[in-house]
Amino acid sequence: MSSGPGADSAPAHNLPDDDRTSPARGRGTFASLRVRNYRLFFTGAIVSNTGTWMARITQDWLVLSLTGSSAAVGVTTALQFLPMLLFGLYGGVLVDRYPKRRLLMMSQGALGLCGLALAVLTLSGHVQVWHVYLVAFLLGMVTVVDNPARQSFVSEMVGKQQLANAVSLNSANFQSARLVGPAVAGVLIASIGSGWAFLVNGLSFLAPLAALTLMRPAELHKVERAPRARGQLREGLRYVAGRPELIWPITLAGFVGTFGFNFPIWLTAFADEVYHVGPGTYGFLNTLMAIGSLVGALLAARRGGSRLRMLVGAAMLFGALEIAAAFSPAFWLFALLLVPIGMIGLTVNVTANSTVQMATDPVMRGRVLSLYMMVFVGGTPVGAPLVGWLTDTYGARIGFAAGGAVCLAAAAAIGLVLARAGGLRLKFELRRGHPHVHLVPRDRLTTAA
């Protein structure tokens, strides 16, 4: 990897704090949508993502209604992400080995069937909490392949030049659906019941299946597929271990994903126990986060590139905002803080994702992204039950604050490691009467002294 000149860079082996991963950036916030195949993919994803958000909100509220326990919500979340922790790396091997478009058609169909199964159980009145646990685990098994396939298929649709832009637009797509899904789910739960939200989710997967079918394979960027061979899993791990520009974004994403993204637990607890509001307001809180996340995704798409310095700073701010929200004395302040939490959390996710993708050889991308997703969402089986227990035992405020504190501490520690490895030091100075803090090489401080 190359890095820019000056105080904000260092040789690649010394872990630059300003790592411009994209040699050629697409122009315009929506540049990737000029590609027909990606347009189809994007359109189908809007529909299925809306259904997915409806199902997520409905699932969390259903489990809370059946059990009255935040820890049970955490168990559901953990079961959904446990397969990624256990089998995620094997999913990456499969994605590098087989055509991604074909894998996606199978995985999207399976996700739709899971949604329909939960709809039938709920509408028939036979649903029990173990049914929800089982479906959550099956969804997780499908995403072991679906997640790295979706992530790495983006480069085949748009090419390397537009990759960072497309990754950001994917996140904007997901967060746009989050604006609609929770609100619709809240209305459906309150008016006619949870089963209809699950039914809409199951049917929504017809849209991405249609989009994948209508794509023109000849217009996809050809990517070399890894031949079937022994040791491909170990090869992927060795590949990442030898590249600090991959290790640090993946490590930080792991801490944030494991401890900072447990919003199903926290928001249900705040809605039910702290502010005593119903499912409609719970959906509203998720919508506020989605507004911030959408803004963060669009800003990331406009930037087009990614920097390790931005990743570390955003993760620190994300943790600090969670702590502030946890101890908000009023509902309106808690709700208001969810907007920047969504924006900065999305910035962390997109920056880490695009940094990892741009620094990875195409033939290894499935395995590297599966490792990234394994630590980002696969850590949830560890973090969610722990956070759920803290929330049940010490209250929603302590549980939320603890997650933010871990993110803040991890980002600060990794930032210090990057600064030391890059030969950098903090420099304080006054500009127009205001203090400024930034990183400069050690030799510059020595010369100034």
Side-chain angles (χ1 to χ4, degrees):
M1 294 177 62
S2 62
S3 55
D8 293 334
S9 65
H13 62 277
N14 281 334
L15 296 174
D17 79 303
D18 184 359
D19 188 3
R20 294 173 177 81
T21 57
S22 176
R25 303 178 183 180
R27 295 182 179 180
T29 303
F30 303 100
S32 300
L33 290 177
R34 300 189 187 107
V35 180
R36 179 184 180 275
N37 283 340
Y38 182 73
R39 252 193 336 268
L40 287 168
F41 180 86
F42 187 90
T43 304
I46 287 178
V47 179
S48 65
N49 284 338
T50 301
T52 297
W53 274 112
M54 291 177 62
R56 283 190 178 187
I57 301 304
T58 308
Q59 173 185 280
D60 297 337
W61 198 262
L62 177 62
V63 170
L64 191 66
S65 301
L66 291 172
T67 65
S69 169
S70 294
V73 178
V75 169
T76 309
T77 305
L79 286 170
Q80 188 162 338
F81 294 113
L82 180 62
M84 183 65 72
L85 178 63
L86 298 177
F87 310 113
L89 293 176
Y90 296 98
V93 171
L94 291 175
V95 168
D96 281 338
R97 203 179 275 175
Y98 298 105
K100 298 176 183 61
R101 179 166 163 262
R102 189 182 308 164
L103 288 174
L104 282 172
M105 294 186 76
M106 292 188 290
S107 63
Q108 293 287 297
L111 291 172
L113 290 176
C114 287
L116 292 176
L118 198 52
V120 170
L121 287 168
T122 308
L123 289 171
S124 65
H126 294 103
V127 69
Q128 298 179 37
V129 69
W130 73 266
H131 293 143
V132 184
Y133 288 166
L134 177 60
V135 172
F137 183 78
L138 291 175
L139 285 169
M141 289 297 296
V142 177
T143 57
V144 164
V145 173
D146 183 78
N147 219 318
R150 268 190 300 107
Q151 299 281 343
S152 56
F153 187 54
V154 174
S155 64
E156 294 189 23
M157 289 184 287
V158 302
K160 187 173 183 178
Q161 183 173 353
Q162 304 284 8
L163 180 58
N165 177 263
V167 169
S168 301
L169 288 182
N170 278 353
S171 296
N173 185 317
F174 192 65
Q175 301 306 328
S176 297
R178 192 177 180 182
L179 291 172
V180 179
V184 175
V187 171
L188 289 178
I189 295 169
S191 58
I192 57 177
S194 302
W196 296 101
F198 292 131
L199 179 62
V200 171
N201 172 52
L203 295 176
S204 71
F205 284 93
L206 293 172
L209 287 172
L212 290 164
T213 302
L214 292 171
M215 284 184 183
R216 296 171 181 164
E219 295 180 7
L220 295 173
H221 292 255
K222 294 192 180 299
V223 174
E224 180 185 356
R225 291 202 298 269
R228 186 181 181 89
R230 283 188 170 187
Q232 289 179 322
L233 183 60
R234 291 191 299 272
E235 181 187 9
L237 293 174
R238 285 195 300 268
Y239 179 85
V240 173
R243 288 165 172 77
E245 66 271 22
L246 294 176
I247 290 175
W248 295 115
I250 290 174
T251 301
L252 183 52
F255 277 103
V256 173
T258 301
F259 298 102
F261 272 69
N262 292 288
F263 297 109
I265 300 171
W266 294 322
L267 294 188
T268 51
F270 269 86
D272 188 51
E273 301 169 13
V274 179
Y275 298 116
H276 309 291
V277 295
T281 305
Y282 172 58
F284 171 69
L285 293 176
N286 278 275
T287 300
L288 288 175
M289 282 199 65
I291 292 172
S293 299
L294 178 59
V295 172
L298 292 175
L299 290 175
R302 187 173 183 82
R303 285 193 302 269
S306 57
R307 302 181 180 189
L308 286 176
R309 183 177 63 183
M310 177 182 293
L311 174 60
V312 172
M316 291 179 66
L317 181 57
F318 177 72
L321 286 169
E322 287 197 334
I323 295 171
F327 296 110
S328 298
F331 173 79
W332 67 267
L333 182 57
F334 175 81
L336 188 63
L337 283 171
L338 292 179
V339 177
I341 286 174
M343 182 177 71
I344 303 302
L346 196 283
T347 300
V348 173
N349 186 5
V350 168
T351 305
N353 189 306
S354 58
T355 298
V356 168
Q357 289 218 45
M358 295 300 297
T360 303
D361 293 334
V363 73
M364 301 293 297
R365 191 164 282 143
R367 278 163 284 182
V368 173
L369 284 173
S370 68
L371 177 62
Y372 170 80
M373 296 309 299
M374 186 184 78
V375 301
F376 183 64
V377 302
T380 301
V382 177
L386 177 60
V387 168
W389 175 80
L390 282 173
T391 301
D392 275 344
T393 306
Y394 299 103
R397 295 188 186 277
I398 297 299
F400 201 2
V406 172
C407 294
L408 178 59
I414 289 174
L416 288 174
V417 170
L418 290 170
R420 288 177 63 85
L424 303 171
R425 286 287 186 267
L426 287 174
K427 180 180 180 182
F428 299 85
E429 63 181 4
L430 289 175
R431 295 179 184 173
R432 299 179 180 178
H434 298 286
H436 287 265
V437 182
H438 55 104
L439 293 167
V440 298
R442 295 177 186 177
D443 55 0
R444 180 175 294 188
L445 287 178
T446 304
T447 302

